Structures are given as C-alpha cells and as structure tokens.
Amino acid sequence: MRSRPAPPVPDHARNTLAATTAPIALITGASRGIGRLLAQKLGARGVTVVINYKKNADLAEESLADVRAAGGDGITVQADIEDPASLDAMFDLVRETYGRLDMFVANAAASAFKPVAQLKLHHLDRSYATNARSFVLGAQRAAELMDRGGRIVVVTSYGSLRAFPTYAALGAAKAMTESYMQYMAVEFGPRQITVNAVNGGLIDTDSLDYFYNAVPGMAPIDTVLSKVPLQRPGTADDMADAVDFLLSDKASYITGQILSVDGGLTVIAPPFWADTTAPLRDAVLPPVGAVDVDAAE
C-alpha cells in the first residue's frame, strides 16, 4: 500500500499548541451522519474537535462550522484510515497542533456486503484494515496522547452479535473491534483511560438506506422494522447521544462495555410478536389499523 505524506497544518490551527485548555476530541468519519452530529454535540460542550474525513473537504468544513456555531472549535483533517501511514499522519498533526488528546471516537466504517462464499481476498483485507486495524492503531496513538486520562469509543453494529444476510465481513470486523475494546479497557485502565463501544441497530442513516435499497435481493426494511420491539429505526442522534454520554464525566467509571442502541433488536428471537395472530397478538401489539388518538390530535 502506498504511503501518503502528512497533511498540512491548516492556517487556523497554527500556533495553537498549549493555547487551549478545552478538551480535544478526534472523530473519524465526522463530515456526515453520526460523526457530524457527535462533533456538534461536543462543540456545545466547548470541546475542540478534530474532524476527520476521507474525501469531501466541503462537508468537513460544514461540520466544523456546526461545531463552531455550537460553541466549540477545531480543525479538519483529511486521512484515509485504511492506510496506516495516513492514519499516523493524522495523529502526528494532532500532536503537533495540540500536544494532547482527550477523546478518540472510531466512527468511520466501510465494507463489502456479500455472502461469505463470495468474499474475495481484497474484501477481507479492506474490511479488516478499515474497521479493526484502524481502531487498534488509532487507539494506540490516542492513548499515547492522553497524558491526563481520556475516553475512547468505537462505534459498532448489531452484526457483531447477530448473523444476517451479506453482513459477514463487516459484522466479523466489528466483533473484532469489540473484543479489542475490552482488552484495551483492561490495559489502558491504569492510565485512567476508559474504552467502550456503542453498538447500533437499525439506524436511519445513508448506510441503512444503502444496505436495504442497493444490495440486490435484500429484504424490505419494513419487514425488518416490524420485528423490532420499538417498531421503528433509531436515529443518528440516538447514536451520537450514546457516544456523547460515554465521553462525558458521567461515564467516568464505565469501561469495557458495549452499549446497544437498537430499540430492543438484539434481545428478540423467533417466533416474533409481529408474526403472531389474534388473540395472542392483541395482548402486546396494537390492532392493525389502530389510530393513535394523541398523535391524531
């Protein structure tokens, strides 16, 4: 893999070393979706946010503008986390710009959606590199910069816990990150660094839309949502709020844990309530076609 040169220090980030007492956070994949919302929430807490992006500099700048509008500050950094040299350059920039780091969120993810029998070597290599390896290498560099303790959170998904069509490469990589997370929690704990995971279910993002509408032959999303106890998808805000909590002082004694944000998806099993009929169905689910009086008003 070809290494890449270190990204240049943005003009607005020069001469800031030791100039800020605000907490410093680095979020991968923070130009859109969950990462962007999280960056904004951290900005509202006065955090200085390093917004990582892979390709779209304009979206990253918009995310940074959101952070500043919320009351925080930060910089944008282009880096391909699949490339260890690019990942290293990003952390070098954090060190050179701020000298420390307080929070690291491994949020970016990518993979191929195929049955196991159709996965090629490059599918396996890229899924591992982008999801698992980048988290381990990133956490190593982050911990080095957390000289006063810190928080590390990795965003995973329910494919690490349950098997469903075409998700093997990503689900297995996410399971690996959760296992590494627990080892890190033990080994980084003496340095007062907590390490946790937020495991998302069916979250209404571009990724969910792609999975259910672009993967050939995938089951319709409505047939899946009907099985979820809360009978709706989660939101990017739901995920960002969970990560924000684990990054806060309120979670200072929580480490090595997987926080599921899935509407109850991972606690159900067949036979599903959605597949039952009257009179059993009527004991739990509202009658088909029932009107929510409060909502109607």
Side-chain angles (χ1 to χ4, degrees):
M1 182 176 294
R2 182 179 302 170
S3 63
R4 304 183 182 186
V9 178
D11 291 339
H12 58 265
R14 296 183 186 277
N15 302 319
T16 59
L17 184 59
T20 178
T21 59
I24 310 297
L26 167 59
I27 308 171
T28 64
S31 63
R32 61 189 180 92
I34 295 166
R36 181 168 177 169
L37 283 172
L38 175 62
Q40 186 175 357
K41 291 175 187 296
L42 292 179
R45 292 208 266 128
V47 175
T48 295
V49 185
V50 179
I51 294 173
N52 160 251
Y53 68 99
K54 182 178 181 179
K55 293 181 179 179
N56 197 320
D58 290 339
L59 281 180
E61 289 298 331
E62 290 175 8
S63 180
L64 179 57
D66 290 344
V67 171
R68 289 176 172 157
D73 200 1
I75 58 174
T76 62
V77 181
Q78 189 282 327
D80 181 356
I81 63 171
E82 186 182 345
D83 178 356
S86 186
L87 187 72
D88 261 339
M90 176 173 66
F91 279 95
D92 288 344
L93 180 59
V94 172
R95 185 190 64 236
E96 293 161 7
T97 306
Y98 300 111
R100 60 182 170 83
L101 187 65
D102 299 287
M103 311 170 192
F104 170 52
V105 180
N107 169 67
S111 188
F113 298 119
K114 295 178 179 295
V116 173
Q118 295 178 13
L119 291 172
K120 306 300 183 184
L121 181 60
H122 67 279
H123 296 140
L124 300 174
D125 288 346
R126 296 197 67 185
S127 292
Y128 166 71
T130 303
N131 301 286
R133 186 179 70 189
S134 67
F135 170 55
V136 176
L137 296 178
Q140 289 173 339
R141 291 298 308 271
E144 291 172 358
L145 294 170
M146 294 178 174
D147 57 358
R148 56 184 188 181
R151 305 275 189 273
I152 296 174
V153 177
V154 59
V155 177
T156 67
S157 63
Y158 77 104
S160 70
L161 305 169
R162 299 288 186 270
F164 53 93
T166 76
Y167 209 78
L170 185 54
K174 291 296 189 182
M176 185 182 292
T177 65
E178 290 177 350
S179 184
Y180 267 115
M181 174 276 295
Q182 292 174 327
Y183 279 92
M184 291 176 191
V186 173
E187 297 182 21
F188 295 169
R191 289 185 260 174
Q192 300 306 303
I193 298 171
T194 66
V195 192
N196 293 286
V198 173
N199 184 303
L202 297 165
I203 307 300
D204 191 7
T205 61
D206 292 343
S207 296
L208 185 75
D209 179 69
Y210 177 86
F211 186 78
Y212 281 95
N213 294 306
V215 176
M218 185 53 62
I221 183 65
D222 290 345
T223 66
V224 180
L225 289 176
S226 66
K227 308 294 194 296
V228 178
L230 291 186
Q231 298 194 318
R232 62 174 177 82
T235 66
D237 255 322
D238 291 328
M239 289 291 289
D241 283 340
V243 178
D244 188 27
F245 165 69
L246 289 173
L247 295 175
S248 73
D249 290 341
K250 294 179 180 179
S252 63
Y253 204 60
I254 299 173
T255 195
Q257 303 304 307
I258 301 170
L259 175 57
S260 292
V261 181
D262 64 5
L265 178 62
T266 52
V267 300
I268 60 173
F272 301 106
W273 278 101
D275 295 332
T276 60
T277 58
L280 182 60
R281 177 187 176 93
D282 298 339
V284 170
L285 298 178
V288 177
V291 178
D292 185 331
V293 176
D294 293 334
E297 292 176 350

